[in-house]
Amino acid sequence: MYKVILSVRDLCAGYKNRRILDGINLDIHRGKVYSIIGPNGCGKTTLIRAMSRNLRPESGKVLLDGNDIFRTNTKLVAQKMAILGQTDTSMSDITVKTLVEYGRYAHKKWWAGSDGEDTKIVDWAIERTGMKKLQNRKINALSGGERQRARIAMAIAQKPEIMLLDEPTTYLDISHQLEIMELVSALNREEGITVVMVLHDMNHAARYSDKLILLNDSKIHTIGSPQELFDNGELEKVFNVDAEILSDSEDNSSVFYAKRVKQ
């Protein structure tokens, strides 16, 4: 049985006077890959922002290893949880290596510089994400896929136990989308990092996720494996599509197929 690393309890959240999420309860088990899916405006990004402490909920709790993240020291949270929001251009004029070094800040005393262990981890993160040849290049000189790999390198330099990603493949072409999804999958499989991500592409969700969290009408509609959701007709109920999963005969992975249900 997988131990729960992140829990959401009776969460209500939104913006100003508009409630987006209402009574969310969710357990994220260590070592698994979860994808949050659902119609536009259903609260996918709101949920990932609340889970990552970037949005304070109206009520309810988010627990990281049993501790309320809103009452836990920021550096302690960052030592366990890495967060990649949608594309950030605020640090575009620095090198890849400098960006990745920022990932070590959660593990340092405020007066301390980098030590040998930090250097090893930064080098490992750069190597692990295939950015070694680009480590001295500035972020604004990278392609979209390279920039996203650099951000993932920064995240894993934190040596997190769980990584939260909001639409990690947005604005990337199909080749770079697959590159990022394969990297995230490998980090889960080989480094044991738990992953929770917001995805729009159902093929990516079906192929790379252990569990899908399907949101609709401010609530969790259902949670299950990709096969369970498609077999039970949950996608048709929420998206009004006739959906099925086909197996890729070469690697036994899942491929999503859907057509719109006629009105």
Side-chain angles (χ1 to χ4, degrees):
M1 179 136 180
Y2 287 84
K3 182 180 178 182
V4 173
I5 184 172
L6 190 67
S7 298
V8 177
R9 291 289 175 264
D10 300 318
L11 182 82
C12 297
Y15 307 93
K16 294 184 178 180
N17 296 322
R18 184 187 175 204
R19 178 172 287 184
I20 306 296
L21 299 174
D22 188 12
I24 300 295
N25 287 283
L26 174 65
D27 285 329
I28 301 298
H29 290 81
R30 194 178 296 273
K32 294 289 189 178
V33 177
Y34 292 78
S35 290
I36 303 171
I37 61 173
N40 290 340
C42 71
K44 299 183 292 295
T45 291
T46 301
L47 178 56
I48 206 93
R49 291 192 68 212
M51 292 168 70
S52 62
R53 213 172 76 154
N54 284 317
L55 175 68
R56 184 173 287 277
E58 299 171 13
S59 60
K61 293 182 178 180
V62 179
L63 306 173
L64 179 61
D65 277 338
N67 299 309
D68 189 333
I69 63 169
F70 290 95
R71 297 185 177 183
T72 303
N73 179 275
T74 299
K75 291 187 76 171
L76 293 178
V77 172
Q79 287 171 11
K80 291 187 174 185
M81 178 188 289
I83 303 156
L84 266 73
Q86 295 183 25
T87 302
D88 179 15
T89 59
S90 62
M91 296 186 292
S92 62
D93 198 36
I94 60 174
T95 66
V96 168
K97 187 167 186 177
T98 299
L99 179 68
V100 178
E101 287 171 346
Y102 288 158
R104 296 304 302 155
Y105 284 4
H107 296 271
K108 295 179 181 180
K109 303 294 185 182
W110 67 268
W111 65 84
S114 298
D115 60 19
E117 182 66 15
D118 289 327
T119 300
K120 287 180 182 178
I121 292 172
V122 167
D123 289 344
W124 165 81
I126 289 171
E127 181 75 35
R128 190 68 187 78
T129 53
M131 296 298 289
K132 188 173 182 179
K133 291 182 179 180
L134 301 173
Q135 63 181 321
N136 296 316
R137 188 172 297 181
K138 289 192 174 183
I139 300 298
N140 56 18
L142 302 177
S143 70
E146 291 165 346
R147 192 176 299 119
Q148 196 70 319
R149 279 193 283 136
R151 297 176 73 229
I152 292 174
M154 178 183 66
I156 66 171
Q158 293 177 222
K159 297 299 284 186
E161 297 175 25
I162 182 169
M163 188 161 58
L164 277 58
L165 305 95
D166 188 5
E167 301 184 33
T169 61
T170 299
Y171 307 125
L172 300 181
D173 62 36
I174 186 63
S175 176
H176 287 121
Q177 288 179 29
L178 292 172
E179 177 185 290
I180 295 303
M181 294 306 302
E182 289 291 341
L183 173 58
V184 170
S185 180
L187 290 170
N188 165 258
R189 186 175 62 252
E190 298 167 13
E191 308 296 339
I193 299 173
T194 306
V195 176
V196 183
M197 53 188 167
V198 172
L199 289 178
H200 281 287
D201 189 303
M202 291 296 177
N203 268 311
H204 294 340
R207 187 181 186 97
Y208 295 102
S209 308
D210 296 305
K211 296 284 185 179
L212 301 181
I213 302 164
L214 177 57
L215 295 183
N216 194 37
D217 294 332
S218 303
K219 299 181 182 295
I220 292 179
H221 179 82
T222 191
I223 301 173
S225 69
Q227 195 69 57
E228 288 170 342
L229 263 66
F230 298 129
D231 285 351
N232 295 336
E234 303 300 338
L235 270 294
E236 181 175 342
K237 297 173 187 175
V238 172
F239 290 101
N240 197 34
V241 296
D242 183 11
E244 63 178 312
I245 286 187
L246 308 176
S247 178
D248 187 326
S249 59
E250 291 188 5
D251 60 6
N252 201 35
S253 60
S254 299
V255 179
F256 173 71
Y257 169 78
K259 61 181 179 180
R260 186 158 182 82
V261 174
K262 293 182 179 179
Q263 300 294 326

